[in-house]
Amino acid sequence: MADAGLFIGWGQVVRGREDRALDVFNETIELYSQMQSDGRIESFEVCLLQPHGGELGGFELLRGSEDQIDAVRRSDDFERVLTKASLVVDDLGVVGAAIGEGLARSMAVYQEEIAVVA
C-alpha cells in the first residue's frame, strides 16, 4: 500500500504555448501510465481545477512506497518531463506528500514535537 506521494502542481499555461502544453500534458500522462504498468509507482491521479482566481490550475498526485517515490524523483524521464512542463506552465511545483501509513508516521512526529513545545 502506498505510504508516500508526490504532488505536482501547476498554474496557468504560458500564453502562446497552449499547443505545446497539451503535448507535454499528454506525454506526462503516458509516462505515469507506463510507470504504473512497470510497477515504478502504485497509482496516480490527475486533477484539473475550475477557474477560481488562485494560482493553482491543476495537479497530479503520484502514489507509491517511499522508495518508489524517491526513485521517481531521481529518474531521468521524470526530470525531463518536468523540464518540458516548466517551459509551458507557470508556477510548477513538486512536493513530497505523506499518505496512508506515511501520514500516521508524520502525525506521530508532529504530536511528539507538540509535547516538547507545550
Side-chain angles (χ1 to χ4, degrees):
M1 177 178 250
D3 60 355
L6 198 56
F7 176 93
I8 303 119
W10 64 88
Q12 296 298 311
V13 172
V14 175
R15 292 191 191 274
R17 296 194 184 150
E18 293 86 356
D19 288 338
R20 180 66 181 137
L22 186 56
D23 291 342
V24 172
F25 179 81
N26 289 330
E27 182 179 339
T28 301
I29 300 306
E30 289 175 18
L31 173 62
Y32 299 155
S33 295
Q34 187 62 51
M35 286 180 170
Q36 185 175 352
S37 293
D38 294 344
R40 293 173 59 193
I41 61 173
E42 189 172 304
S43 64
F44 71 97
E45 186 170 359
V46 179
C47 296
L48 299 176
L49 302 179
Q50 296 176 343
H52 57 88
E55 294 178 2
L56 186 63
F59 65 91
E60 300 153 337
L61 180 62
L62 281 60
R63 295 179 186 91
S65 68
E66 289 180 356
D67 288 341
Q68 285 174 314
I69 296 302
D70 289 344
V72 166
R73 289 189 90 151
R74 291 189 311 273
S75 69
D76 290 338
D77 50 2
F78 182 72
E79 181 180 354
R80 184 167 302 279
V81 80
L82 277 183
T83 299
K84 291 176 184 181
S86 72
L87 298 171
V88 296
V89 297
D90 291 328
D91 303 314
L92 180 66
V94 180
V95 182
I99 60 175
E101 290 181 21
L103 180 61
R105 284 192 304 273
S106 292
M107 290 306 297
V109 169
Y110 182 74
Q111 286 177 322
E112 289 171 9
E113 293 306 314
I114 287 174
V116 171
V117 296

